[in-house]
Amino acid sequence: MVKSVIDGDTIILEDDTRVRYILVDTNEITNGHNDCYGQEAKQYNALLVEGRVVDLAYDTECTDRFGRALAYVSIQGREVNRLLVERGYGCVLYIPPDGMAKVADYRAAEAEARAAMRGMWGACPVVACAH
């Protein structure tokens, strides 16, 4: 069960495991940052997962250098990582080896969101996670 949402791409589970979503990066709202659309990404993530039981799927690397679990997070069969990208709340962040099998699909979803000016792509003069 998700205890809390840190931001658009990181959650804390009931057992205090910190989970970083694979293949997605949202604009920052922590450590003194308040990037455009970062709060919206956090709110959307919270709407989807906070207080709910989620399914985690791991890839090659199970943790990052900060000790966070790296996972695809799903709720009722829908992959939250991809929803964030396709709805314009996040950018694709590919850090090999994790995500190799899905990166092309995620990049296509991001390109579609950009073209449609969805979410941050239409709302922000600068999309910080795209740099």
Side-chain angles (χ1 to χ4, degrees), residues 53-76:
V53 174
V54 295
D55 294 311
L56 303 178
Y58 299 95
D59 206 319
T60 306
E61 301 286 329
C62 293
T63 57
D64 67 8
R65 61 188 173 120
F66 303 108
R68 299 175 297 191
L70 296 171
Y72 295 102
V73 177
S74 296
I75 187 96
Q76 298 175 336

PDB file of all heavy atoms in Angstrom, residues 53-76:
ATOM      1  N   VAL A  53      -3.364  -0.067  -2.838  1.00  0.00           N
ATOM      2  CA  VAL A  53      -2.447  -1.178  -3.066  1.00  0.00           C
ATOM      3  C   VAL A  53      -2.004  -1.115  -4.515  1.00  0.00           C
ATOM      4  O   VAL A  53      -2.837  -0.993  -5.424  1.00  0.00           O
ATOM      5  CB  VAL A  53      -3.131  -2.534  -2.767  1.00  0.00           C
ATOM      6  CG1 VAL A  53      -2.217  -3.693  -3.136  1.00  0.00           C
ATOM      7  CG2 VAL A  53      -3.529  -2.612  -1.301  1.00  0.00           C
ATOM      8  N   VAL A  54      -0.695  -1.144  -4.726  1.00  0.00           N
ATOM      9  CA  VAL A  54      -0.138  -1.100  -6.078  1.00  0.00           C
ATOM     10  C   VAL A  54       0.659  -2.363  -6.348  1.00  0.00           C
ATOM     11  O   VAL A  54       1.097  -3.048  -5.426  1.00  0.00           O
ATOM     12  CB  VAL A  54       0.775   0.144  -6.287  1.00  0.00           C
ATOM     13  CG1 VAL A  54      -0.026   1.435  -6.197  1.00  0.00           C
ATOM     14  CG2 VAL A  54       1.940   0.151  -5.308  1.00  0.00           C
ATOM     15  N   ASP A  55       0.827  -2.664  -7.617  1.00  0.00           N
ATOM     16  CA  ASP A  55       1.685  -3.763  -8.037  1.00  0.00           C
ATOM     17  C   ASP A  55       2.999  -3.169  -8.506  1.00  0.00           C
ATOM     18  O   ASP A  55       3.007  -2.151  -9.207  1.00  0.00           O
ATOM     19  CB  ASP A  55       1.036  -4.555  -9.177  1.00  0.00           C
ATOM     20  CG  ASP A  55      -0.230  -5.263  -8.735  1.00  0.00           C
ATOM     21  OD1 ASP A  55      -0.189  -5.940  -7.690  1.00  0.00           O
ATOM     22  OD2 ASP A  55      -1.251  -5.131  -9.432  1.00  0.00           O
ATOM     23  N   LEU A  56       4.104  -3.798  -8.126  1.00  0.00           N
ATOM     24  CA  LEU A  56       5.430  -3.350  -8.537  1.00  0.00           C
ATOM     25  C   LEU A  56       6.045  -4.394  -9.454  1.00  0.00           C
ATOM     26  O   LEU A  56       5.961  -5.592  -9.177  1.00  0.00           O
ATOM     27  CB  LEU A  56       6.344  -3.154  -7.328  1.00  0.00           C
ATOM     28  CG  LEU A  56       5.877  -2.183  -6.250  1.00  0.00           C
ATOM     29  CD1 LEU A  56       6.883  -2.144  -5.110  1.00  0.00           C
ATOM     30  CD2 LEU A  56       5.667  -0.790  -6.824  1.00  0.00           C
ATOM     31  N   ALA A  57       6.665  -3.931 -10.541  1.00  0.00           N
ATOM     32  CA  ALA A  57       7.407  -4.815 -11.439  1.00  0.00           C
ATOM     33  C   ALA A  57       8.808  -4.239 -11.559  1.00  0.00           C
ATOM     34  O   ALA A  57       8.975  -3.046 -11.839  1.00  0.00           O
ATOM     35  CB  ALA A  57       6.733  -4.885 -12.804  1.00  0.00           C
ATOM     36  N   TYR A  58       9.780  -5.083 -11.328  1.00  0.00           N
ATOM     37  CA  TYR A  58      11.173  -4.649 -11.356  1.00  0.00           C
ATOM     38  C   TYR A  58      11.806  -4.984 -12.699  1.00  0.00           C
ATOM     39  O   TYR A  58      11.308  -5.819 -13.442  1.00  0.00           O
ATOM     40  CB  TYR A  58      11.950  -5.297 -10.208  1.00  0.00           C
ATOM     41  CG  TYR A  58      11.394  -4.915  -8.860  1.00  0.00           C
ATOM     42  CD1 TYR A  58      10.479  -5.731  -8.206  1.00  0.00           C
ATOM     43  CD2 TYR A  58      11.752  -3.719  -8.255  1.00  0.00           C
ATOM     44  CE1 TYR A  58       9.947  -5.364  -6.980  1.00  0.00           C
ATOM     45  CE2 TYR A  58      11.227  -3.350  -7.024  1.00  0.00           C
ATOM     46  CZ  TYR A  58      10.318  -4.177  -6.402  1.00  0.00           C
ATOM     47  OH  TYR A  58       9.791  -3.817  -5.187  1.00  0.00           O
ATOM     48  N   ASP A  59      12.907  -4.337 -13.000  1.00  0.00           N
ATOM     49  CA  ASP A  59      13.653  -4.584 -14.232  1.00  0.00           C
ATOM     50  C   ASP A  59      14.999  -5.173 -13.830  1.00  0.00           C
ATOM     51  O   ASP A  59      15.082  -5.918 -12.868  1.00  0.00           O
ATOM     52  CB  ASP A  59      13.787  -3.264 -15.012  1.00  0.00           C
ATOM     53  CG  ASP A  59      13.946  -3.472 -16.508  1.00  0.00           C
ATOM     54  OD1 ASP A  59      14.680  -4.385 -16.912  1.00  0.00           O
ATOM     55  OD2 ASP A  59      13.354  -2.699 -17.284  1.00  0.00           O
ATOM     56  N   THR A  60      16.063  -4.802 -14.517  1.00  0.00           N
ATOM     57  CA  THR A  60      17.393  -5.358 -14.255  1.00  0.00           C
ATOM     58  C   THR A  60      17.959  -4.909 -12.914  1.00  0.00           C
ATOM     59  O   THR A  60      18.384  -5.719 -12.101  1.00  0.00           O
ATOM     60  CB  THR A  60      18.355  -4.961 -15.389  1.00  0.00           C
ATOM     61  OG1 THR A  60      17.765  -5.353 -16.626  1.00  0.00           O
ATOM     62  CG2 THR A  60      19.692  -5.630 -15.243  1.00  0.00           C
ATOM     63  N   GLU A  61      17.975  -3.601 -12.688  1.00  0.00           N
ATOM     64  CA  GLU A  61      18.473  -3.029 -11.430  1.00  0.00           C
ATOM     65  C   GLU A  61      17.267  -2.807 -10.524  1.00  0.00           C
ATOM     66  O   GLU A  61      16.308  -2.172 -10.927  1.00  0.00           O
ATOM     67  CB  GLU A  61      19.158  -1.687 -11.685  1.00  0.00           C
ATOM     68  CG  GLU A  61      20.331  -1.749 -12.641  1.00  0.00           C
ATOM     69  CD  GLU A  61      21.562  -2.373 -12.027  1.00  0.00           C
ATOM     70  OE1 GLU A  61      21.752  -2.233 -10.805  1.00  0.00           O
ATOM     71  OE2 GLU A  61      22.321  -3.015 -12.764  1.00  0.00           O
ATOM     72  N   CYS A  62      17.343  -3.311  -9.303  1.00  0.00           N
ATOM     73  CA  CYS A  62      16.202  -3.174  -8.392  1.00  0.00           C
ATOM     74  C   CYS A  62      16.271  -1.934  -7.514  1.00  0.00           C
ATOM     75  O   CYS A  62      15.263  -1.523  -6.948  1.00  0.00           O
ATOM     76  CB  CYS A  62      16.074  -4.422  -7.527  1.00  0.00           C
ATOM     77  SG  CYS A  62      15.634  -5.875  -8.489  1.00  0.00           S
ATOM     78  N   THR A  63      17.476  -1.343  -7.386  1.00  0.00           N
ATOM     79  CA  THR A  63      17.618  -0.119  -6.603  1.00  0.00           C
ATOM     80  C   THR A  63      18.546   0.850  -7.326  1.00  0.00           C
ATOM     81  O   THR A  63      19.363   0.452  -8.156  1.00  0.00           O
ATOM     82  CB  THR A  63      18.204  -0.397  -5.192  1.00  0.00           C
ATOM     83  OG1 THR A  63      19.456  -1.055  -5.337  1.00  0.00           O
ATOM     84  CG2 THR A  63      17.266  -1.240  -4.353  1.00  0.00           C
ATOM     85  N   ASP A  64      18.401   2.131  -6.988  1.00  0.00           N
ATOM     86  CA  ASP A  64      19.294   3.140  -7.572  1.00  0.00           C
ATOM     87  C   ASP A  64      20.386   3.497  -6.566  1.00  0.00           C
ATOM     88  O   ASP A  64      20.436   2.959  -5.462  1.00  0.00           O
ATOM     89  CB  ASP A  64      18.518   4.377  -8.042  1.00  0.00           C
ATOM     90  CG  ASP A  64      17.883   5.184  -6.926  1.00  0.00           C
ATOM     91  OD1 ASP A  64      18.140   4.915  -5.728  1.00  0.00           O
ATOM     92  OD2 ASP A  64      17.121   6.113  -7.242  1.00  0.00           O
ATOM     93  N   ARG A  65      21.242   4.426  -6.942  1.00  0.00           N
ATOM     94  CA  ARG A  65      22.377   4.792  -6.087  1.00  0.00           C
ATOM     95  C   ARG A  65      21.951   5.480  -4.792  1.00  0.00           C
ATOM     96  O   ARG A  65      22.752   5.656  -3.878  1.00  0.00           O
ATOM     97  CB  ARG A  65      23.378   5.664  -6.860  1.00  0.00           C
ATOM     98  CG  ARG A  65      22.810   6.970  -7.349  1.00  0.00           C
ATOM     99  CD  ARG A  65      23.796   7.683  -8.275  1.00  0.00           C
ATOM    100  NE  ARG A  65      23.167   8.854  -8.865  1.00  0.00           N
ATOM    101  CZ  ARG A  65      23.608  10.076  -8.713  1.00  0.00           C
ATOM    102  NH1 ARG A  65      24.688  10.316  -8.016  1.00  0.00           N
ATOM    103  NH2 ARG A  65      22.976  11.077  -9.279  1.00  0.00           N
ATOM    104  N   PHE A  66      20.695   5.892  -4.707  1.00  0.00           N
ATOM    105  CA  PHE A  66      20.172   6.522  -3.495  1.00  0.00           C
ATOM    106  C   PHE A  66      19.439   5.518  -2.598  1.00  0.00           C
ATOM    107  O   PHE A  66      18.834   5.896  -1.602  1.00  0.00           O
ATOM    108  CB  PHE A  66      19.229   7.678  -3.856  1.00  0.00           C
ATOM    109  CG  PHE A  66      19.868   8.719  -4.717  1.00  0.00           C
ATOM    110  CD1 PHE A  66      19.518   8.844  -6.058  1.00  0.00           C
ATOM    111  CD2 PHE A  66      20.840   9.570  -4.210  1.00  0.00           C
ATOM    112  CE1 PHE A  66      20.116   9.804  -6.866  1.00  0.00           C
ATOM    113  CE2 PHE A  66      21.440  10.529  -5.010  1.00  0.00           C
ATOM    114  CZ  PHE A  66      21.083  10.642  -6.342  1.00  0.00           C
ATOM    115  N   GLY A  67      19.446   4.247  -3.000  1.00  0.00           N
ATOM    116  CA  GLY A  67      18.794   3.209  -2.211  1.00  0.00           C
ATOM    117  C   GLY A  67      17.299   3.079  -2.436  1.00  0.00           C
ATOM    118  O   GLY A  67      16.621   2.332  -1.733  1.00  0.00           O
ATOM    119  N   ARG A  68      16.776   3.800  -3.425  1.00  0.00           N
ATOM    120  CA  ARG A  68      15.348   3.695  -3.721  1.00  0.00           C
ATOM    121  C   ARG A  68      15.097   2.455  -4.581  1.00  0.00           C
ATOM    122  O   ARG A  68      15.911   2.120  -5.439  1.00  0.00           O
ATOM    123  CB  ARG A  68      14.859   4.930  -4.485  1.00  0.00           C
ATOM    124  CG  ARG A  68      15.013   6.220  -3.723  1.00  0.00           C
ATOM    125  CD  ARG A  68      14.642   7.419  -4.550  1.00  0.00           C
ATOM    126  NE  ARG A  68      15.530   7.556  -5.699  1.00  0.00           N
ATOM    127  CZ  ARG A  68      15.581   8.618  -6.495  1.00  0.00           C
ATOM    128  NH1 ARG A  68      14.780   9.644  -6.275  1.00  0.00           N
ATOM    129  NH2 ARG A  68      16.416   8.669  -7.511  1.00  0.00           N
ATOM    130  N   ALA A  69      13.974   1.813  -4.362  1.00  0.00           N
ATOM    131  CA  ALA A  69      13.574   0.720  -5.242  1.00  0.00           C
ATOM    132  C   ALA A  69      13.210   1.328  -6.594  1.00  0.00           C
ATOM    133  O   ALA A  69      12.629   2.413  -6.665  1.00  0.00           O
ATOM    134  CB  ALA A  69      12.367  -0.012  -4.658  1.00  0.00           C
ATOM    135  N   LEU A  70      13.572   0.647  -7.665  1.00  0.00           N
ATOM    136  CA  LEU A  70      13.234   1.086  -9.028  1.00  0.00           C
ATOM    137  C   LEU A  70      12.173   0.135  -9.564  1.00  0.00           C
ATOM    138  O   LEU A  70      12.394  -1.080  -9.605  1.00  0.00           O
ATOM    139  CB  LEU A  70      14.465   1.038  -9.926  1.00  0.00           C
ATOM    140  CG  LEU A  70      15.601   1.971  -9.547  1.00  0.00           C
ATOM    141  CD1 LEU A  70      16.844   1.663 -10.381  1.00  0.00           C
ATOM    142  CD2 LEU A  70      15.179   3.421  -9.753  1.00  0.00           C
ATOM    143  N   ALA A  71      11.020   0.682  -9.965  1.00  0.00           N
ATOM    144  CA  ALA A  71       9.935  -0.203 -10.377  1.00  0.00           C
ATOM    145  C   ALA A  71       8.969   0.474 -11.340  1.00  0.00           C
ATOM    146  O   ALA A  71       8.879   1.690 -11.420  1.00  0.00           O
ATOM    147  CB  ALA A  71       9.169  -0.679  -9.152  1.00  0.00           C
ATOM    148  N   TYR A  72       8.252  -0.392 -12.047  1.00  0.00           N
ATOM    149  CA  TYR A  72       7.050   0.034 -12.765  1.00  0.00           C
ATOM    150  C   TYR A  72       5.942  -0.145 -11.750  1.00  0.00           C
ATOM    151  O   TYR A  72       5.830  -1.204 -11.110  1.00  0.00           O
ATOM    152  CB  TYR A  72       6.782  -0.846 -13.988  1.00  0.00           C
ATOM    153  CG  TYR A  72       7.848  -0.743 -15.049  1.00  0.00           C
ATOM    154  CD1 TYR A  72       8.814  -1.724 -15.191  1.00  0.00           C
ATOM    155  CD2 TYR A  72       7.873   0.350 -15.915  1.00  0.00           C
ATOM    156  CE1 TYR A  72       9.793  -1.625 -16.171  1.00  0.00           C
ATOM    157  CE2 TYR A  72       8.844   0.458 -16.896  1.00  0.00           C
ATOM    158  CZ  TYR A  72       9.796  -0.537 -17.021  1.00  0.00           C
ATOM    159  OH  TYR A  72      10.761  -0.436 -17.981  1.00  0.00           O
ATOM    160  N   VAL A  73       5.118   0.863 -11.560  1.00  0.00           N
ATOM    161  CA  VAL A  73       4.054   0.843 -10.566  1.00  0.00           C
ATOM    162  C   VAL A  73       2.724   0.771 -11.302  1.00  0.00           C
ATOM    163  O   VAL A  73       2.446   1.599 -12.172  1.00  0.00           O
ATOM    164  CB  VAL A  73       4.122   2.109  -9.676  1.00  0.00           C
ATOM    165  CG1 VAL A  73       2.969   2.131  -8.682  1.00  0.00           C
ATOM    166  CG2 VAL A  73       5.466   2.176  -8.952  1.00  0.00           C
ATOM    167  N   SER A  74       1.924  -0.219 -10.961  1.00  0.00           N
ATOM    168  CA  SER A  74       0.629  -0.386 -11.629  1.00  0.00           C
ATOM    169  C   SER A  74      -0.501  -0.390 -10.618  1.00  0.00           C
ATOM    170  O   SER A  74      -0.341  -0.837  -9.480  1.00  0.00           O
ATOM    171  CB  SER A  74       0.593  -1.707 -12.416  1.00  0.00           C
ATOM    172  OG  SER A  74       1.536  -1.690 -13.444  1.00  0.00           O
ATOM    173  N   ILE A  75      -1.635   0.116 -11.074  1.00  0.00           N
ATOM    174  CA  ILE A  75      -2.852   0.119 -10.275  1.00  0.00           C
ATOM    175  C   ILE A  75      -3.967  -0.408 -11.181  1.00  0.00           C
ATOM    176  O   ILE A  75      -4.157   0.106 -12.284  1.00  0.00           O
ATOM    177  CB  ILE A  75      -3.169   1.522  -9.706  1.00  0.00           C
ATOM    178  CG1 ILE A  75      -4.341   1.468  -8.749  1.00  0.00           C
ATOM    179  CG2 ILE A  75      -3.397   2.555 -10.741  1.00  0.00           C
ATOM    180  CD1 ILE A  75      -3.935   1.362  -7.328  1.00  0.00           C
ATOM    181  N   GLN A  76      -4.602  -1.468 -10.763  1.00  0.00           N
ATOM    182  CA  GLN A  76      -5.681  -2.093 -11.533  1.00  0.00           C
ATOM    183  C   GLN A  76      -5.264  -2.333 -12.987  1.00  0.00           C
ATOM    184  O   GLN A  76      -6.018  -2.058 -13.923  1.00  0.00           O
ATOM    185  CB  GLN A  76      -6.949  -1.245 -11.466  1.00  0.00           C
ATOM    186  CG  GLN A  76      -7.473  -1.101 -10.055  1.00  0.00           C
ATOM    187  CD  GLN A  76      -8.659  -0.171  -9.963  1.00  0.00           C
ATOM    188  OE1 GLN A  76      -8.856   0.702 -10.805  1.00  0.00           O
ATOM    189  NE2 GLN A  76      -9.452  -0.356  -8.923  1.00  0.00           N
TER     190      GLN A  76
END
